[in-house]
């Protein structure tokens, strides 16, 4: 099965997800993250602005700001497959300092938000919440094929080594977006864990936790 095949299958499943179910599933998945060790131990959260077919990150942002963690959101660089993250100081920034980008996704206004620069955060613990079209039970991720996250996450790994930072990649999706196996290429970045509305999957320890644990 090709990556294109996998995308078609998952996108067809997502068509059956109602708005109400999506909202409830998002809250459950976000709750898993907020109660996780990865969240409690992190100093910095790199989030994303969700679309209708993605798990929201609103409650994760609320929890992060409440605990005085640093939170940042991505902005794509035009005519490239690269992006930068910009820091959110408070929840209202999403309304006052964000605007719709190329794919109609809310992005930080780089003129109003401070760019996230890892060199300013030596030795910190970073948790990256990663969206995707699909994930599999080996920690592999399938995006939309543009390469933004693979490029950024690969670069971030190298920067973290230089700055002695701890780095965790956490996939966030609906359970229906999980597949048994998806095609994996050398430049694809694997997740350390994946959170859905019903389970948390940890691949370094191959442990699986059910809802309520």
């Amino acid at each position: 099965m090709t990556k294109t095949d996998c995308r078609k299958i998952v996108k067809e499943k997502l068509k059956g997800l109602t708005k109400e179910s999506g909202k409830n599933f998002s809250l459950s998945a976000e709750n898993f993250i907020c109660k996780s060790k990865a969240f409690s131990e992190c100093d910095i959260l790199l989030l994303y602005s969700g679309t209708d077919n993605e798990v929201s990150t609103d409650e994760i942002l609320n929890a992060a700001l409440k605990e005085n963690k640093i939170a940042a959101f991505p902005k794509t660089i035009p005519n490239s497959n690269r992006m930068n993250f910009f820091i959110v100081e408070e929840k209202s920034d999403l309304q006052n300092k964000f605007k719709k980008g190329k794919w109609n996704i809310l992005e930080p206004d780089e003129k109003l938000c401070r760019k996230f620069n890892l060199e300013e955060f030596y030795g910190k613990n970073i948790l990256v919440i990663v969206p995707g079209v699909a994930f599999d039970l080996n920690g592999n991720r399938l995006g939309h094929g543009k390469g933004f996250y693979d490029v950024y996450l690969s670069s971030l790994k190298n920067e973290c080594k230089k700055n002695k930072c701890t780095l965790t990649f956490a996939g966030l999706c609906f359970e229906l977006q999980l597949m048994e196996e998806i095609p994996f290429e050398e430049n694809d970045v694997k997740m350390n864990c994946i959170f859905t509305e019903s389970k948390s999957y940890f691949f370094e320890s191959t442990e699986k936790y059910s809802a309520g644990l």
Side-chain angles (χ1 to χ4, degrees):
M1 187 181 297
T2 66
K3 288 187 175 183
T4 300
D5 293 332
C6 292
R7 290 188 183 99
K8 287 181 179 178
I9 291 172
V10 173
K11 287 180 179 179
E12 192 62 33
K13 288 182 179 180
L14 286 168
K15 289 180 181 179
L17 185 67
T18 66
K19 188 174 182 179
E20 182 178 359
S21 293
K23 182 178 180 180
N24 291 333
F25 290 167
S26 283
L27 288 172
S28 181
E30 290 179 281
N31 187 52
F32 265 110
I33 287 185
C34 292
K35 289 185 176 180
S36 70
K37 184 177 180 181
F39 178 86
S40 65
E41 293 186 349
C42 79
D43 305 297
I44 300 168
L45 273 157
L46 301 188
L47 300 168
Y48 64 85
S49 298
T51 66
D52 291 340
N53 289 329
E54 293 176 332
V55 175
S56 171
T57 62
D58 288 350
E59 294 306 314
I60 303 173
L61 174 61
N62 288 338
L65 294 177
K66 185 177 180 180
E67 296 186 20
N68 295 314
K69 298 179 185 292
I70 294 167
F73 286 77
K75 175 179 173 52
T76 56
I77 299 174
N79 304 314
S80 76
N81 62 349
R82 295 180 294 119
M83 60 184 181
N84 292 313
F85 277 74
F86 290 82
I87 295 172
V88 168
E89 304 289 349
E90 53 189 35
K91 184 68 179 289
S92 61
D93 285 354
L94 273 64
Q95 285 75 44
N96 301 329
K97 298 182 180 180
F98 278 48
K99 58 185 179 181
K100 292 289 182 70
K102 182 177 179 180
W103 290 280
N104 209 33
I105 298 173
L106 279 175
E107 295 185 332
D109 186 334
E110 59 188 337
K111 296 178 181 179
L112 301 175
C113 299
R114 180 163 65 98
K115 183 179 176 182
F116 170 69
N117 186 348
L118 190 60
E119 293 179 356
E120 299 176 13
F121 303 103
Y122 186 88
K124 297 296 184 180
N125 192 326
I126 303 171
L127 173 61
V128 187
I129 307 299
V130 187
V133 175
F135 296 87
D136 71 16
L137 300 179
N138 296 308
N140 296 318
R141 170 187 175 271
L142 179 65
H144 291 278
K146 306 297 183 183
F148 284 99
Y149 268 92
D150 286 321
V151 171
Y152 184 82
L153 296 182
S154 294
S155 174
L156 186 62
K157 287 172 70 174
N158 292 329
E159 290 184 41
C160 282
K161 290 178 182 178
K162 296 177 184 177
N163 290 280
K164 308 298 182 183
C165 292
T166 302
L167 183 61
T168 301
F169 297 146
L172 181 59
C173 68
F174 299 114
E175 191 76 20
L176 62 81
Q177 292 175 269
L178 283 181
M179 306 186 77
E180 185 174 340
E181 187 176 4
I182 57 177
F184 181 75
E185 299 176 7
E186 187 177 350
N187 62 323
D188 293 336
V189 178
K190 285 196 174 191
M191 301 296 100
N192 300 109
C193 48
I194 292 174
F195 295 88
T196 74
E197 72 275 11
S198 57
K199 293 183 179 71
S200 301
Y201 301 85
F202 297 89
F203 302 106
E204 290 182 330
S205 59
T206 66
E207 293 181 18
K208 184 191 300 183
Y209 297 93
S210 299
L213 293 182

